[in-house]
Amino acid sequence: MYDQPAVAAAESDPVGGWTPRTTPPIGVDLTNEQALACAFRTLAHDGFSENMAGHITWADRDDGSLLINPWGLWWEEVSASDVCRVDADGGVIEGRWDVTPAYHIHTELHRRRPDARVVVHNHPYYVTLLAAVGVLPMIAHQTGSLYDDDLSLVSEYDGEVGDAELGRDLAERIGECNNVILASHGIITTADTIELAVYRAASIDRFCRLAYDILLLGKDPLPIEKSIRVAMQKALVERAAGVYWAGAVRKLLRTDPDVLR
């Protein structure tokens, strides 16, 4: 069973001098399959997906298996009953659908990075626009601090990652970074929780769109001091990710209640 974010404040030092006493809950307990289905639809509604492309994988157990979406369904139509489970090599062990060999992007990264419990990959438009010209977005707004020193570019496109060897090579080039733009392709985002993974993924395309619009203006953005970026990143990870997730799921359940079926 998936545990939704705690209602009470965490017992940790406050970030920026303040920690909320309580935060609004989702209101329902979700299975892991339901939570992952909510992640797909939330990101689809936020423009992160390109129709049937991409995967989210979740190492929700310690047996090497992964939850994953099937081939052929658009992210905006995935429900809990559509979610599949694959073994560490991508073979389907639970679920009624098939998955594509592109899962090797994920299986090899999970194998190399035990901290990357959730791996998100797709082709959001403005990320892909910058990926097409090999440009990393500049940090021009406080939310961009989420990616400070945690965004890199894999500058060569080697085609579809359709086998384990290609997956291992890509995982090696990704290294320890949690947000990696793939030239002429898209982006991979990782995190240790579903809440943080979805928050990072949901925020990246707006971050890239802002950078693109600044490039069109032909002006340099006002600088944000490094110490401020560091503090803001910590605040966003510790305070905003769970709150974003809970709100996104509440909104989704109002409009797409069938996501849980």
Side-chain angles (χ1 to χ4, degrees), residues 59-74:
D60 65 327
R61 298 177 183 172
D62 292 326
D63 60 0
S65 69
L66 304 170
L67 292 179
I68 189 173
N69 53 310
W71 167 250
L73 288 181
W74 292 28

Side-chain angles (χ1 to χ4, degrees), residues 1 14 26 31 44 58-59 76 85 97 114 126 128 142 148 156 168 171-172 174 187 191 198 211 213 226 234 254:
M1 175 70 69
I26 293 172
T31 67
W58 183 4
E76 65 189 25
R85 185 176 295 278
W97 307 117
Y126 285 95
T128 306
Q142 63 177 19
D148 189 36
E156 294 180 1
R168 284 191 294 272
E172 184 68 26
I174 288 171
I187 187 167
V198 172
D213 287 342
K226 177 64 176 179
K234 183 175 172 62
R254 290 194 296 271

